[in-house]
Amino acid sequence: MNEEPVYHIPALLPQVIDALNICREGIYADATFGGGGHSREILSELGPEGALYVFDQDEEALANAPADPRLTAIHGNFRYISQYLRFYGVKGQVNGILADLGVSFHHFDSAERGFSFRFDGPLDMRMNRRARQTAADILANEPEERIASIFSLYGELKQARKLAGSIARARSQQPIQTIEQLLEIIRPHISPKAEKKELAQVFQALRIVVNDEISALEQLLERSLDSLAPGGRLAIITYHSLEDRLVKNFMRTGRIDGKEQKDFFGRNLSPLKLLSSKPIVADAEEIERNPRSRSAKLRVAEKILIEK
């Protein structure tokens, strides 16, 4: 394996390469370029006629893209993957699509980006810095009930209503614009025994809404079907249960709602075949090297031809 860049340690790297079953002359898409660790390894497996299309909303990430004639870097949201690939003339021809839904170390370690509670800084959390809505905007403008719903649904926090109530009261006195302000408001409702976990859940919930991550993932999954060739692989790494359920159900049924469709003979009409009912997870050695991989789950499906 190639040496990994310090920008980000890629999760489940050997497992991803194995799952994609890379053909040397194939066409691949990395929907979440990030630090480029997965992409660099894909390139190392491709021959001179192979091609790799990489996507990222963050221009800072794409600045790290290697100068390789086989690589095309696209500054855009992966929810538009089929449109971008169609523009480059590869509709229905992609041999593999990868998406690692985690946040890079670079983002967590940059105080000005606002992704981590470890530093004070602006409540930003935008993956695409050209986007209008920040985390501060959500806390300022969303109704109290909506904020409670965000913490409950996307953070799975039992004290979601208490958190939302305290935020609503605090913002009536002054705008909540910094990480330190938010921490001061919510800490009375955070368990001291589970502080890191619960604060991470709060920030995760806000980040998901700022970047419209669930809707974007749904569109990526649906539109991947337009781009994959028969026999092509779809590999998705998730980090929390909401994403994982969505990916698993889609790969099993080919539908966002997870409802299985069958023909007259009772055959599953999904255009995808989930290659394993259980996700691929990190071993102890990887978790020691990269603690964030502890929660990583890799699911893989293959596009199949439905007999009429």
Side-chain angles (χ1 to χ4, degrees):
M1 295 287 177
N2 293 338
E3 290 186 6
E4 295 157 345
V6 296
Y7 187 99
H8 180 65
I9 302 174
L12 302 170
L13 181 58
Q15 297 92 327
V16 164
I17 299 304
D18 183 62
L20 288 174
N21 192 30
I22 294 174
C23 167
R24 283 182 54 79
E25 311 308 319
I27 301 172
Y28 293 85
D30 183 348
T32 50
F33 179 74
H38 291 117
S39 286
R40 287 180 172 83
E41 199 60 40
I42 292 170
L43 286 171
S44 76
E45 298 285 328
L46 289 177
E49 301 303 318
L52 176 63
Y53 296 85
V54 303
F55 296 76
D56 209 292
Q57 299 182 75
D58 191 339
E59 290 177 301
E60 291 180 10
L62 288 179
N64 295 315
D68 190 306
R70 299 168 299 172
L71 183 145
T72 301
I74 299 167
H75 178 225
N77 193 305
F78 60 43
R79 72 197 313 157
Y80 304 118
I81 188 169
S82 62
Q83 292 97 317
Y84 280 115
L85 290 173
R86 191 180 302 119
F87 174 81
Y88 287 102
V90 292
K91 177 179 171 61
Q93 300 174 38
V94 178
N95 301 103
I97 296 174
L98 166 68
D100 179 350
L101 304 179
V103 180
S104 75
F105 293 154
H106 171 74
H107 289 133
F108 278 129
D109 290 341
S110 177
E112 67 175 10
R113 301 300 295 270
F115 286 99
S116 175
F117 55 84
R118 293 183 295 127
F119 314 101
D120 191 19
L123 279 166
D124 193 322
M125 302 192 193
R126 293 172 299 170
M127 292 291 188
N128 181 353
R129 303 188 80 169
R130 297 181 183 179
R132 293 183 180 180
Q133 181 174 251
T134 67
D137 294 329
I138 289 171
L139 296 180
N141 301 321
E142 293 291 346
E144 180 179 337
E145 284 297 313
R146 169 60 176 156
I147 294 174
S149 177
I150 288 169
F151 290 145
S152 176
L153 180 60
Y154 301 125
E156 299 178 302
L157 288 152
K158 294 180 180 178
Q159 67 273 48
R161 289 187 178 278
K162 292 180 179 179
L163 292 167
S166 290
I167 287 169
R169 288 189 294 273
R171 73 185 182 186
S172 69
Q173 302 299 315
Q174 63 175 336
I176 306 169
Q177 297 179 330
T178 69
I179 293 169
E180 195 56 45
Q181 283 180 288
L182 177 60
L183 293 179
E184 185 177 345
I185 293 162
I186 65 175
R187 272 208 167 101
H189 306 298
I190 298 296
S191 168
K193 294 181 180 180
E195 183 178 69
K196 288 185 178 180
K197 178 183 177 183
E198 292 185 0
L199 289 177
Q201 289 170 291
V202 168
F203 277 63
Q204 170 186 288
L206 289 171
R207 189 202 76 227
I208 287 173
V209 176
V210 168
N211 297 288
D212 196 21
E213 292 180 22
I214 299 303
S215 176
L217 175 58
E218 290 175 347
Q219 289 181 262
L220 168 67
L221 293 172
E222 289 183 321
R223 290 172 179 172
S224 67
L225 298 177
D226 297 331
S227 303
L228 281 171
R233 298 282 181 90
L234 177 63
I236 310 287
I237 302 174
T238 65
Y239 293 84
H240 59 82
S241 58
L242 186 64
E243 290 175 340
D244 187 56
R245 285 193 299 270
L246 177 58
V247 170
K248 179 182 178 180
N249 288 336
F250 180 82
M251 288 185 173
R252 181 176 56 84
T253 66
R255 293 169 57 98
I256 291 300
D257 61 17
K259 294 180 180 178
E260 189 172 323
Q261 302 293 301
K262 296 184 178 181
D263 65 11
F264 178 79
F265 302 101
R267 296 177 298 187
N268 187 353
L269 292 174
S270 174
L272 293 169
K273 177 177 68 175
L274 189 60
L275 297 187
S276 174
S277 60
K278 294 184 178 180
I280 299 166
V281 297
D283 58 22
E285 183 180 346
E286 172 162 0
I287 291 172
E288 183 177 358
R289 176 179 62 88
N290 179 8
R292 287 186 60 247
S293 68
R294 183 186 302 275
S295 58
K297 294 181 179 180
L298 170 64
R299 294 191 185 272
V300 188
E302 184 173 287
K303 185 173 180 180
I304 59 177
L305 284 174
I306 302 297
E307 295 181 6
K308 302 295 185 180

